[in-house]
């Protein structure tokens, strides 16, 4: 499983075999069955997770019991509650598996150790963070300004492997529509 992470890192920031060994020492393999949690709201996030296989999602639940999905993490994506992880505050997010999922987890202390031992990995994580921030900003703009049909098209472009792999209600929650309206959009798209 670690080889997939090393390939991902190497595609952004080339690493040596010795650096790969350091990473192998510091990440832990974990399997998360479908509908089980990596992390629950109220806990302090202690890890970031790299998805090797499957899919995770992060979400919050409002006062009325409605889920609001903030992120999907399919294969080769990282996920965590960054606010909780960095600030050491209780999380407002849940992170669970939409599919049986295999991840590599890295604790915050291991991440800091890696930065000290392999300084160029700060660049790797900076690039990922910049891309995540840009995507989050674009998603907010799209949510506020685009009709549902275009938000669905954007979802299909961003997550092509998830369109038929995860529940429709999760996709609907992510783009801010009802599952029934999503069914209508999907039917129109097939035509």
């Amino acid at each position: 499983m670690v080889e997939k992470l090393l390939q991902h890192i190497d595609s952004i920031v080339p690493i040596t075999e010795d650096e790969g060994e350091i990473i192998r020492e510091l990440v832990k393999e974990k399997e998360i069955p479908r509908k089980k949690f990596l992390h629950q709201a109220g806990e302090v996030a202690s890890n970031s997770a790299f998805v090797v296989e499957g899919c995770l999602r992060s979400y919050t639940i409002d006062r009325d019991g409605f889920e609001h999905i903030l992120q999907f993490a399919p294969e080769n994506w990282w996920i965590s509650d960054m606010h909780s992880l960095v600030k050491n505050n209780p999380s407002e997010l849940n992170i669970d598996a939409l599919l049986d999922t295999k991840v590599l987890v890295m604790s915050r202390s291991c991440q800091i150790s890696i930065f000290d031992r392999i300084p160029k990995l700060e660049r790797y994580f900076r690039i990922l963070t910049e891309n995540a921030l840009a995507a989050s900003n674009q998603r907010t703009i799209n949510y506020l300004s685009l009709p549902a049909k275009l938000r669905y098209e954007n979802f299909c472009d961003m997550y092509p492997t998830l369109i038929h792999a995860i529940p429709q209600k999760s996709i609907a929650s992510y783009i801010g529509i009802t599952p029934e309206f999503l069914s209508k959009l999907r039917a129109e798209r097939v035509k």
Side-chain angles (χ1 to χ4, degrees):
M1 284 181 27
V2 178
E3 294 311 310
K4 198 163 187 179
L5 172 59
L6 297 178
Q7 290 170 1
H8 189 265
I9 293 170
D10 197 57
S11 72
I12 296 172
V13 178
I15 56 173
T16 67
E17 189 59 40
D18 289 343
E19 292 165 337
E21 284 304 315
I22 293 169
I23 295 165
R24 281 184 188 90
E25 290 171 22
L26 296 176
V27 298
K28 305 281 187 258
E29 295 181 5
K30 185 172 186 172
E31 293 189 18
I32 306 163
R34 182 176 174 263
K35 295 187 177 183
K36 297 297 181 188
F37 289 91
L38 171 69
H39 171 81
Q40 288 185 277
E43 301 172 348
V44 174
S46 58
N47 298 307
S48 294
F50 178 80
V51 178
V52 175
E53 181 181 300
C55 182
L56 299 177
R57 67 175 175 158
S58 68
Y59 64 97
T60 186
I61 299 174
D62 68 20
R63 288 184 214 157
D64 297 322
F66 292 106
E67 291 180 1
H68 300 279
I69 298 175
L70 279 71
Q71 178 189 357
F72 291 109
E75 293 179 15
N76 292 323
W77 286 49
W78 284 91
I79 191 167
S80 184
D81 179 338
M82 291 303 293
H83 184 261
S84 177
L85 185 71
V86 172
K87 298 293 186 182
N88 207 34
N89 293 332
S91 175
E92 294 183 38
L93 297 177
N94 296 291
I95 300 174
D96 69 4
L98 287 169
L99 308 168
D100 289 340
T101 302
K102 295 178 182 177
V103 297
L104 296 167
V105 292
M106 182 186 304
S107 70
R108 180 67 172 157
S109 60
C110 286
Q111 187 181 41
I112 291 168
S113 175
I114 282 178
F115 293 162
D116 289 339
R117 295 171 70 184
I118 312 171
K120 64 182 155 186
L121 284 191
E122 281 191 304
R123 181 170 185 256
Y124 167 77
F125 281 103
R126 178 190 50 81
I127 291 167
L128 294 180
T129 302
E130 288 172 347
N131 289 339
L133 179 60
S136 177
N137 287 344
Q138 189 61 53
R139 178 170 180 238
T140 300
I141 291 166
N142 291 349
Y143 186 80
L144 295 172
S145 63
L146 293 180
K149 182 177 181 178
L150 290 177
R151 293 195 310 268
Y152 178 62
E153 296 291 330
N154 287 344
F155 175 87
C156 292
D157 292 341
M158 184 167 200
Y159 299 108
T161 61
L162 299 183
I163 298 167
H164 300 291
I166 63 173
Q168 276 192 206
K169 72 177 192 172
S170 293
I171 297 170
S173 171
Y174 183 80
I175 61 176
I177 61 175
T178 64
E180 296 78 17
F181 191 61
L182 177 60
S183 292
K184 182 179 173 184
L185 290 176
R186 289 177 89 158
E188 288 176 9
R189 188 163 201 236
V190 170
K191 291 179 186 177

